[in-house]
Amino acid sequence: MSILGTVRGALARVRGLFTSPDRDGELREELQAHLDMATAENIRRGMDPNEARRHALIASGGLTVASEAVRDQRSLPWVESIAADIKYAFRTLRNARAYTVVVVATLALGIGANTAIFSVVRGVLLKPLPNRDGDRLLYLRQSTDGPGGDNISFSVPEVTDIRHGVPALGDIAEYSPFTFTLEQSEGSTRLSAGLVTGNFFEIMGLSPVLGRVTRPSDDGPGVPPVMVLTQEYWTTHFGADPSIVGKQVKLDGRSVTVIGVVQAAPWFPNQVDALLNMVISPHHLSAMMIQGRTHRMTEMIARLAPSATLQQARTEVASTYARMLHDHTDAYDPNAHYRVAVMPFKEALGERASFTLWLLMSAAAFVLIISAANVVNLTLMRGVRRESELVVRAALGAGVARLRRLLLVENTLLTLMGAIVGVGIALGGVRLLTTLVARYSARANEISLDYVVLGFALALAIVLALLLSFAAFIPREGTLASIVNAGFRRMAGSLTRQRLQRTLVVAQIAVSVVLLAGAGLLTRTMVQLSEVSTGLKTEQVLTVQVPLLKFSAPNGATDNASLYRAIMTADVGNKARYDEMQREIRALPGVMDVGLGSTTPLHGADAVFEVKAQDQSLAVGEAVPRASYRTADPEYFRAAGIPLLAGRAFQATDRPGGARVVILNRALAEKLFHDENPIGKQVALTGELLKFSPLSGDWRTVVGVVGNTQDGSLDAPPTPAMFSPFAQELALGGALVIRADSNADRLATAATRIVRRVVPMAAIEHVLTIAQIKDQSVAPRRLNAELVSSLGLLAVIIATVGIAGVLAFSVSTRTQEIGIRMSLGADSGRVQRMILGEGGLLVVIGLTLGMAGAFFATEVLRGLLFGVAPHDPTTFVGVALGMAAVGIGACWIPALRAARIDPAITMRSS
């Protein structure tokens, strides 16, 4: 046949699919007309009419056969056959509504949970970055041992050495996190920014959606300060105003020109609102910054050279870094173990969320396994009742493949319905999960149910449909006679099938136990965290952060001396404003104390310095102690409820010109002086970083020791801290700590109003009670525990249905046996014990296997636990008892049903 003929034939077949049934009638009429004409011709030749018609039928091959032959030529028979199977499957499922609802609901829960979590895994870990050639972006991290050493950034000389010594890196962009106050007529807000080199956007592979981004000509002194907004900040803060480009805004009193808006992208290591060139900060252009090897304020992002590999870059960076350590021994304390890591930028973005997400994905996979096992069990039970139908179909000529296809179509409909409902469930779950992930990753806004996620749900549905179809019994041609002779009863009581069903139940119980053990450990962790003392005597405390310190020099100034003079001059005025706020807030009804300090309790401080103690030597190999440096006024500790353990609190006489004094927290006092009394001893700030700050390294007398507070987080060890008098030293930051007689939260509005009146252009942050801060600290772990617990509870419910279903089916197939037992003298109690024993055996086996699995599986949770061991006996015993109670309860219902069987009725029916 020619190509044209083939195409015409194909088109005719496709048209035939949509042909109305009237054409079949027309075809039959046409064939009947041909038959009549042939009959008439036979009669004309002298045949008897009946004989003439018989000969005409034989010659035509039969009307039905001829009709089918024509229909086969004008349509696609396999499509029509599948359509018929679909119609039949719909009718069958409609007639088994209870089974359909249970199966669809079970599958929807399993598919929905997996789809929701997969969408998060894909959005955060798997989806390609929006950056151009994002897989070639690298992030470099320098670390040391000790508090705050996870990421100490790089100095400009270190960046220069790596830039020149690592040809595998095509180029390097520099980035410094910075915070400004954006001053606007409607109120000031804090703006999280990044100071970047001109090549930053080229390295990052990002383009502007409005205006332009920075370029190398924006580097160096003498250029105007310019700002590129992130698309999110432009949309949320400026209402996506297209005329923003070219406008001037005020940052810490300096005018900056907005030159563009960059495309949406994840930022790392911190979320930013805008990116500016370095000239906005004279300190970043000073000799101290450019030449100071220990002045580490710069993050490094690089792009692989065109022909280079990640391993090559790692090798070259390691070689260059080793050379730096060798050539500059004064800048790298060997006891601090300086090291550098090179990782793909995409990996760095998902680093904190990776473990939690894969943990949730594993838990969801367990739920899917339990759901599938339960549905297979239900399908096997339903299959018993359909065996007579399948045997009859097989006896009429339907082969194994035909019957398998019929089951496949039916199961595909079920799993697709489950997938559709599951996607609906996932839509709601994704919002909750996005909230969780936003705490760990900058890519939370990329989470969505896109076509890949929907394809994942569809793939799950197809795999489950295949599993259900091939788990079902299909009668084979050679076994039909024996099956019919056995009256289908032997199949219903098939030992192999019963073993399979019981094995599935055991698997469900075991997997549920593993999930419950994990959920129990995470829940106990959350309880332990909620019971951790914050270190504060009372939590009726409201905190308000009001940063007035600005690290900006007067216009035209480019040296640190001018910057520091401007800072110290501004500090005098700032302290007068803080005093005014303190006086007015103290006068509010219900206020007991108002403290002033550089930061609020339970918040870490940005300033971390090395500290030395007079007449105290370090042990061999011991790194110089580091401490968080803070300021506090005489009321601060009393208002915050931080206990004074020794010595005295600050006094009004601790002012500029007086003796320099400090208060240590217990962690720092023990680290510096061990068992000695630190009161009256001398300590001083030290280290390379100190010379880059306006603080002095003078000796200070320790006048007091206060208790530790959980400033890092509730599960972190106490941070060593040193407090200087608020009035005596530079007021780093600025915070009000307000202690109330009750209900501190009600003071928030009045306190904020006072602050706004005193400093109308200042940003007001963290207006929170201590209880709210503590709750925020626990929130991520609570969400983890709630999610895993929800999946565990879901697994238990499904497993319970599985146990009850299998035993109920067992009872229904053994009705005659139970009737005979009871007629021979077995009472209802004995029958109950028999069924409970069978179910109890499954529960015991499942519990044993589950406990063994949980013993190994919970080991991976060690990093997420606090105050509880991975093999916590209390949790394991609680899970075992709970699961046993649920299992026995599930067995009881079919046991009661078996005990109510009437032996007389059973014997008559048999």
Side-chain angles (χ1 to χ4, degrees), residues 194-323:
L195 305 187
V196 299
T197 48
N199 66 345
F200 177 80
F201 293 98
E202 176 61 26
I203 297 295
M204 290 291 290
L206 296 174
S207 303
V209 295
L210 198 67
R212 70 170 178 89
V213 292
T214 60
R215 49 199 178 205
S217 59
D218 294 313
D219 287 340
V223 299
V226 295
M227 179 166 71
V228 177
L229 301 175
T230 63
Q231 189 167 4
E232 181 181 1
Y233 193 70
W234 173 56
T235 304
T236 57
H237 193 81
F238 292 100
D241 178 11
S243 65
I244 190 67
V245 175
K247 287 187 176 177
Q248 299 258 319
V249 296
K250 286 277 190 182
L251 297 183
D252 287 350
R254 296 195 64 181
S255 295
V256 178
T257 303
V258 178
I259 60 171
V261 178
V262 68
Q263 69 176 90
W267 304 101
F268 190 81
N270 60 311
Q271 185 64 28
V272 296
D273 304 317
L275 298 116
L276 298 94
N277 55 349
M278 297 280 186
V279 73
I280 187 70
S281 169
H283 178 74
H284 281 73
L285 301 180
S286 66
M288 185 180 292
M289 178 80 179
I290 295 172
Q291 299 171 7
R293 180 165 290 275
T294 58
H295 194 47
R296 300 182 174 96
M297 292 181 63
T298 304
E299 299 283 351
M300 207 177 344
I301 298 171
R303 181 171 285 273
L304 274 175
S307 58
T309 65
L310 174 61
Q311 186 55 46
Q312 185 180 350
R314 283 175 170 162
T315 303
E316 293 181 1
V317 167
S319 174
T320 303
Y321 194 74
R323 192 162 54 250

Side-chain angles (χ1 to χ4, degrees), residues 336-359:
H337 301 113
Y338 281 78
R339 54 193 177 273
V340 66
V342 181
M343 65 182 75
F345 189 68
K346 180 179 172 182
E347 182 181 315
L349 284 167
E351 189 179 23
R352 293 180 58 211
S354 176
F355 180 78
T356 300
L357 291 184
W358 286 121
L359 173 69

Side-chain angles (χ1 to χ4, degrees), residues 21-49:
D22 293 342
R23 290 202 59 183
D24 288 343
E26 294 172 359
L27 173 63
R28 179 165 287 278
E29 289 176 2
E30 183 179 348
L31 292 173
Q32 184 63 47
H34 283 288
L35 180 64
D36 292 343
M37 287 189 290
T39 302
E41 177 64 21
N42 289 339
I43 293 173
R44 189 181 66 77
R45 292 177 179 174
M47 290 186 183
D48 177 77

Side-chain angles (χ1 to χ4, degrees), residues 139-144 148-154 268-269 299:
Y139 176 73
L140 285 79
R141 174 183 294 154
Q142 184 170 214
S143 309
T144 64
D150 293 342
N151 182 8
I152 61 170
S153 301
F154 293 88
F268 190 81
E299 299 283 351

